[in-house]
Amino acid sequence: MSTGPSSEKLSLSAALRLVALRVAALCSVLALVSCGSTPETLIWDWSCSQPEQGAGEVGSVKGAPEVLASGTLVTEKTPDAEGYYQIISIAGNRQGIAIKSLHSAGTAIPDNEPYKVDNRIRPSNSGGQLTKAGIGYGLADGSYENLFYASFMSPPVYMVFRSKPPFGMTPPNTEEPTVIFKATIR
């Protein structure tokens, strides 16, 4: 076994490969964090929380809310006639599970037919920030969520429909809790 200059070069070569891999990984993370932002897009920070329920009273908040999901959204820079911005990408996590994809507008997430997402958002000073169709996204564990504004409820609330494999509307593979949703433009 040689311990001369050639093994030092191999170690240096291996170290350089490791550094190159780490730089590539860092670049991938930075690209994900920026979500492909361009001068024609806006970046939003968002979060979805589950409030603690008061004793026997639905909707009463007690204590600090538990964050269910958070991350960034990238939208087109110009709103539509109703003041909504089209979401073009999403990044973040749901309780440590990575959000891997934005569900296509005009389609329903698994187990949530016929409710098709539209992936539109507007600033908070406009009432509900999401539509009743809401945002759809897939998670790294194979589950999906549809976060929406239930304007048909009295009073209106945000809700998230979550479906997990195996799909087929079999509880406990679906859930639909009331949540607190907030999003701001950076």
Side-chain angles (χ1 to χ4, degrees), residues 5-21:
S6 64
S7 67
E8 288 176 4
K9 286 182 185 177
L10 183 59
S11 296
L12 181 58
S13 175
L16 288 175
R17 278 195 304 269
L18 181 60
V19 168
L21 287 171

Side-chain angles (χ1 to χ4, degrees), residues 97-170:
I97 302 167
I99 295 171
K100 68 174 188 170
S101 63
L102 183 66
H103 205 71
S104 298
T107 63
I109 66 167
D111 283 349
N112 204 25
E113 285 288 348
Y115 304 105
K116 298 174 182 175
V117 302
D118 65 8
N119 298 329
R120 298 188 310 152
I121 189 170
R122 63 182 176 183
S124 62
N125 59 354
S126 305
Q129 289 190 267
L130 303 176
T131 65
K132 66 180 178 179
I135 305 169
Y137 50 90
L139 296 141
D141 67 354
S143 63
Y144 291 86
E145 292 191 343
N146 178 192
L147 181 58
F148 63 98
Y149 187 60
S151 57
F152 50 87
M153 302 282 284
S154 182
V157 294
Y158 289 101
M159 299 179 85
V160 60
F161 180 88
R162 183 164 196 242
S163 60
K164 308 180 266 190
F167 300 112
M169 296 295 287
T170 307

Side-chain angles (χ1 to χ4, degrees), residues 20-143:
L21 287 171
R22 287 184 178 168
V23 169
L26 178 60
C27 288
S28 296
V29 168
L30 291 175
L32 181 62
V33 168
S34 72
C35 291
S37 177
T38 69
E40 295 80 34
T41 60
L42 297 173
I43 298 177
W44 302 61
D45 293 314
W46 68 276
S47 67
C48 172
S49 306
Q50 178 67 53
E52 287 188 32
Q53 299 297 315
E57 238 180 88
V58 175
S60 64
V61 177
K62 177 183 170 187
E66 174 190 358
V67 175
L68 295 176
S70 63
T72 56
L73 301 168
V74 176
T75 65
E76 294 176 349
K77 193 167 192 158
T78 306
D80 63 18
E82 297 176 82
Y84 288 96
Y85 294 82
Q86 188 66 49
I87 299 168
I88 54 179
S89 68
I90 187 169
N93 73 76
R94 183 194 196 282
Q95 295 181 318
I97 302 167
I99 295 171
K100 68 174 188 170
S101 63
L102 183 66
H103 205 71
S104 298
T107 63
I109 66 167
D111 283 349
N112 204 25
E113 285 288 348
Y115 304 105
K116 298 174 182 175
V117 302
D118 65 8
N119 298 329
R120 298 188 310 152
I121 189 170
R122 63 182 176 183
S124 62
N125 59 354
S126 305
Q129 289 190 267
L130 303 176
T131 65
K132 66 180 178 179
I135 305 169
Y137 50 90
L139 296 141
D141 67 354
S143 63

